Amino acid sequence: MAAACVNNNNDALIVIVITLFLIITLPSSSMAGSNFNQQVDITWGDGRGKILNSGKILTLSLDRASGSGFQSKNEYLYGKIDMQIKLVPGNSAGTVTAYYLRSDGISWDEIDFEFLGNLSGDPYVVHTNVYTQGKGGKEQQFYLWFDPTANLHTYSILWNPAHIVFYIDGRPIREFKNLEGVGVSYPKNQPMKLYSSIWNADDWATRGGLVKTDWSQAPFTASFKNLKANGCVWSNGVSSCNLSSSNSSNNNNSWLSQQLDSNGQRKLKWVQKNYMIYNYCSDINRFPQGLPLECTLRTT
């Protein structure tokens, strides 16, 4: 009996030690990915934004009086952000649900997903853009190959020193490379927070503003789940990542050097061939003096 008790105590001690080791060594960015109460603050909307189910679900709503929004508690200088979103169902014309990274100030950096609502049965438009030092104008737009209102889908932003990649359900839809070496600005100096919001934009969002919001369908509600922020947290001028390290995988930061392999490039080309509906790099009427430099290099 005494020997059995000793063995049981040793087993329990081993379990405790292993558990403590995992808690200490598992990166905080991975552990903090499932509770909105810990990850974000609802910043506007007067109660139209709600965190539910012990932090597992967040909803944002829009009515005639106001929309709503939230922002992350942390800010990041590079990161891989994943979040599941279920967009506004039915007649969502005139509404915009946004999911983006943005820095502070008048010369801000920004990486945008915006989902432009439409009439029932018509497809959502996924609008993407990249801003550097307050200058954007790098829009690409897509239709989706599924109904984004029927179920949750994962929308991801990869931002590392080499490139920015927009993903949907793990499939890349857009890549914006760091081409500073040839004179193209790239967001790399300003830490950004994650934001999401829903608001009325019926002056432009649906068919250029021709279709207005039908307020009889309000409230318009989008749902969010499983926010995962693997990022270099920026606090008091210091990054949580060792950006000078040549081996970022040691700290579960393999995304810092993540590239698109040949399979990823094939998936990217498939989306752009079949579902892209606007590309600023093809809009010669918009740029009569010549396309932006990155467009001439065929890299976006």
Side-chain angles (χ1 to χ4, degrees):
M1 288 293 292
C5 290
V6 170
N7 287 336
N8 288 338
N9 289 337
N10 286 339
D11 290 343
L13 182 60
I14 291 171
V15 170
I16 292 171
V17 170
I18 292 174
T19 302
L20 288 172
F21 174 79
L22 290 174
I23 290 173
I24 293 170
T25 58
L26 190 64
S28 60
S29 57
S30 298
M31 294 180 64
S34 61
N35 193 318
F36 284 109
N37 286 312
Q38 298 174 7
Q39 287 282 85
V40 307
D41 295 310
I42 295 176
T43 50
W44 64 284
D46 195 24
R48 292 172 180 82
K50 295 181 173 65
I51 297 177
L52 308 169
N53 196 15
S54 300
K56 294 181 180 179
I57 296 172
L58 189 151
T59 61
L60 295 178
S61 293
L62 163 71
D63 57 32
R64 187 184 288 272
S66 178
S68 52
F70 67 84
Q71 69 181 43
S72 62
K73 294 180 183 292
N74 289 330
E75 57 181 353
Y76 306 92
L77 189 58
Y78 301 127
K80 174 70 169 13
I81 311 296
D82 308 286
M83 185 153 58
Q84 291 185 308
I85 306 174
K86 182 178 179 182
L87 296 175
V88 176
N91 181 2
S92 58
T95 71
V96 174
T97 304
Y99 163 54
Y100 58 103
L101 292 166
R102 179 179 169 127
S103 66
D104 292 331
I106 59 173
S107 298
W108 73 96
D109 294 341
E110 187 171 336
I111 304 169
D112 277 346
F113 264 118
E114 291 184 340
F115 306 96
L116 314 184
N118 216 329
L119 295 169
S120 298
D122 289 342
Y124 263 83
V125 172
V126 179
H127 177 98
T128 67
N129 205 349
V130 177
Y131 287 76
T132 307
Q133 295 290 313
K135 296 179 180 179
K138 304 179 187 300
E139 301 91 346
Q140 289 184 355
Q141 295 182 337
F142 307 83
Y143 287 145
L144 292 167
W145 50 96
F146 55 85
D147 179 1
T149 72
N151 296 291
L152 291 158
H153 291 270
T154 302
Y155 302 88
S156 307
I157 297 171
L158 169 65
W159 171 38
N160 68 24
H163 60 175
I164 294 163
V165 185
F166 297 78
Y167 293 87
I168 299 178
D169 289 336
R171 181 182 293 271
I173 67 166
R174 177 180 185 178
E175 180 183 27
F176 184 82
K177 290 186 177 181
N178 183 347
L179 298 173
E180 279 195 316
V182 294
V184 179
S185 297
Y186 187 81
K188 67 171 189 177
N189 295 319
Q190 301 189 75
M192 298 194 250
K193 286 189 175 184
L194 171 68
Y195 295 84
S196 189
S197 57
I198 182 171
W199 78 94
N200 177 45
D202 65 5
D203 57 332
W204 65 272
T206 305
R207 300 181 188 176
L210 294 177
V211 181
K212 302 300 182 182
T213 304
D214 180 0
W215 293 111
S216 70
Q217 304 297 313
F220 304 97
T221 301
S223 303
F224 303 80
K225 191 175 181 181
N226 291 329
L227 169 60
K228 182 180 179 182
N230 284 320
C232 298
V233 176
W234 189 262
S235 179
N236 297 318
V238 178
S239 171
S240 64
C241 298
N242 181 7
L243 297 178
S244 63
S245 172
S246 60
N247 186 4
S248 58
S249 61
N250 287 341
N251 296 318
N252 197 36
N253 289 335
S254 59
W255 55 266
L256 262 172
S257 56
Q258 181 178 331
Q259 298 285 343
L260 286 179
D261 59 16
S262 58
N263 185 45
Q265 291 288 351
R266 283 194 297 270
K267 290 180 178 180
L268 175 68
K269 291 177 180 178
W270 178 83
V271 173
Q272 297 196 340
K273 178 182 178 180
N274 294 288
Y275 294 95
M276 179 184 283
I277 59 173
Y278 177 80
N279 183 1
Y280 77 108
C281 281
S282 302
D283 195 344
I284 57 176
N285 292 327
R286 179 179 172 188
F287 301 104
Q289 304 303 317
L291 293 170
L293 178 58
E294 68 269 19
C295 299
T296 65
L297 299 173
R298 299 181 180 275
T299 58
T300 59

